[in-house]
Amino acid sequence: MRFEAGAEEEYEAARGLLVDRLVRWAGEQGLPVDEFLAEVALDYRHEATADGRLGLWEPRHVEELVLFWLPQTVTELPGEERGDAPGTLRTLLRYLHAAQLADPRGPAFQDSLAAVDVAAEQYPAAMADRSRWGLAKFWATTAAEQGVDVRNGAALQRFAERAQRGEAAYDEQALGAIMERRMTGCALSDAARAEPQLPVALPPDGELRRRAEESVIVAQLRGLAEWAGRDGRAVTAAGRLRMADARELVDVLGTGDNAEGVRSSADLHRLELLVEWAKKARLVRVVKGRLYAVAKARPVRGRAGGRTAHALQPAVPDALAAAA
């Protein structure tokens, strides 16, 4: 029930299967469902929300789908029968719960249905609000309202040329709002894929300093910098520790690496990671074939609970990614 942003083939296959089962189930239950609108609803969760979870429908998702995504993406040409989007969404939510596909982190089922009821009252006005339309929908509807067969590519092209010459009437204010939304990057489809993160409460600075003083990693980083010293230690042409020095550091810093039979310090993974962290935190650096302690970092090394902890925060994830 969740696919990465680039996994379009996998997502479309799953969406097709899910909608087929939804339509069959809705028919058995006697519930309204529009296959196209069900696909649009799932596309919204996949394309326009950060977490992309198809089975998780919070009230904010319901509101955004009904009042913004559908008006932006679904074109209803003059004379066409309008689909029942709120009814389809209610059926989709019922099916997800009946099939045990609803995300357990979501709200209670009745709360989701209540959110649909609230949004449904505003849905007709939202669909009629041209400033909420997408650009393609705006021009297709404008052309259709002026008698153009929008399914005829040549006729649509001729209308576009007339519009460019200023010979076709259109809602300039609505078009301006649409273009402003596009230019300012406020489109729903711009959502970056990421899981929601819980807030983190940090202890007071004094407590952070105390914990940092007790940190094995901080002590090892300080020990590594002191070992390198102002005079530096020779490294290999690849910038790695020499094997004799690496064995010494395994014991001095207590990294727990097994150096027996190892020919390169690159294979001492904990020590190697520690060295990379120290470089990222700018506690040590390699210059002209030697590993030196950074002189400006001496005050940092002396205050494990102060700037050291803050310096390591951005460095550690990067180093982990590099090591992986």
Side-chain angles (χ1 to χ4, degrees):
M1 296 297 285
R2 180 184 183 276
F3 299 85
E4 295 300 329
E8 296 308 315
E9 291 186 6
E10 294 86 345
Y11 163 70
E12 290 176 5
R15 182 192 64 187
L17 179 62
L18 181 59
V19 171
D20 285 346
R21 293 180 177 179
L22 166 66
V23 171
R24 188 181 312 116
W25 180 84
E28 295 170 353
Q29 302 296 317
L31 296 172
V33 67
D34 184 299
E35 182 174 345
F36 169 70
L37 291 175
E39 290 182 350
V40 172
L42 295 172
D43 287 346
Y44 156 73
R45 281 303 270 124
H46 173 67
E47 298 176 10
T49 58
D51 61 348
R53 295 192 172 275
L54 305 180
L56 179 60
W57 288 87
E58 298 177 355
R60 61 190 176 94
H61 298 131
V62 170
E63 178 182 358
E64 195 168 64
L65 168 69
V66 174
L67 302 184
F68 295 95
W69 182 259
L70 291 173
Q72 178 177 309
T73 59
V74 175
T75 301
E76 296 176 339
L77 297 177
E80 287 186 345
E81 182 180 357
R82 294 186 173 182
D84 182 7
T88 295
L89 182 55
R90 291 189 189 95
T91 300
L92 173 61
L93 294 176
R94 292 182 185 279
Y95 172 72
L96 292 175
H97 281 269
Q100 297 183 346
L101 295 174
D103 197 299
R105 290 168 293 186
F109 174 55
Q110 293 301 326
D111 292 341
S112 297
L113 290 183
V116 178
D117 293 340
V118 172
E121 296 179 0
Q122 306 172 56
Y123 176 66
M127 289 294 289
D129 185 353
R130 293 173 184 256
S131 67
R132 302 191 187 199
W133 293 1
L135 189 60
K137 175 180 178 177
F138 174 85
W139 284 116
T141 305
T142 300
E145 290 172 340
Q146 298 182 30
V148 177
D149 181 2
V150 297
R151 296 177 177 83
N152 184 317
L156 192 58
Q157 179 61 34
R158 289 194 295 270
F159 171 79
E161 292 171 354
R162 293 202 309 273
Q164 290 176 347
R165 295 194 300 266
E167 299 173 359
Y170 59 87
D171 188 333
E172 296 184 11
Q173 185 175 0
L175 180 59
I178 293 170
M179 295 305 297
E180 181 178 0
R181 187 175 68 241
R182 287 171 60 91
M183 295 298 292
T184 55
C186 296
L188 294 178
S189 57
D190 292 337
R193 181 57 55 86
E195 286 289 347
Q197 300 295 316
L198 295 176
V200 176
L202 293 177
D205 286 347
E207 178 64 14
L208 286 175
R209 291 190 182 93
R210 186 188 66 79
R211 294 185 185 182
E213 287 290 350
E214 297 175 353
S215 168
V216 173
I217 295 296
V218 171
Q220 289 174 330
L221 289 169
R222 180 192 288 136
L224 173 62
E226 292 175 351
W227 174 85
R230 295 178 58 184
D231 296 331
R233 302 277 184 154
V235 294
T236 67
R240 301 186 184 279
L241 296 174
R242 295 187 305 181
M243 200 56 220
D245 291 336
R247 289 194 180 94
E248 177 186 346
L249 276 176
V250 165
D251 294 333
V252 170
L253 302 180
T255 64
D257 290 291
N258 183 4
E260 184 176 354
V262 175
R263 295 185 177 182
S264 170
S265 63
D267 296 326
L268 302 174
H269 300 299
R270 292 172 183 165
L271 177 61
E272 179 74 4
L273 185 57
L274 196 66
V275 172
E276 290 302 314
W277 282 352
K279 291 178 181 177
K280 290 287 186 178
R282 298 181 178 87
L283 299 177
V284 299
R285 62 179 177 176
V286 175
V287 179
K288 296 181 179 180
R290 297 184 72 83
L291 180 71
Y292 294 91
V294 176
K296 291 183 178 179
R298 187 178 302 167
V300 178
R301 299 196 302 269
R303 295 178 55 201
R307 293 169 56 196
T308 302
H310 294 292
L312 291 176
Q313 286 175 0
V316 170
D318 291 341
L320 283 171

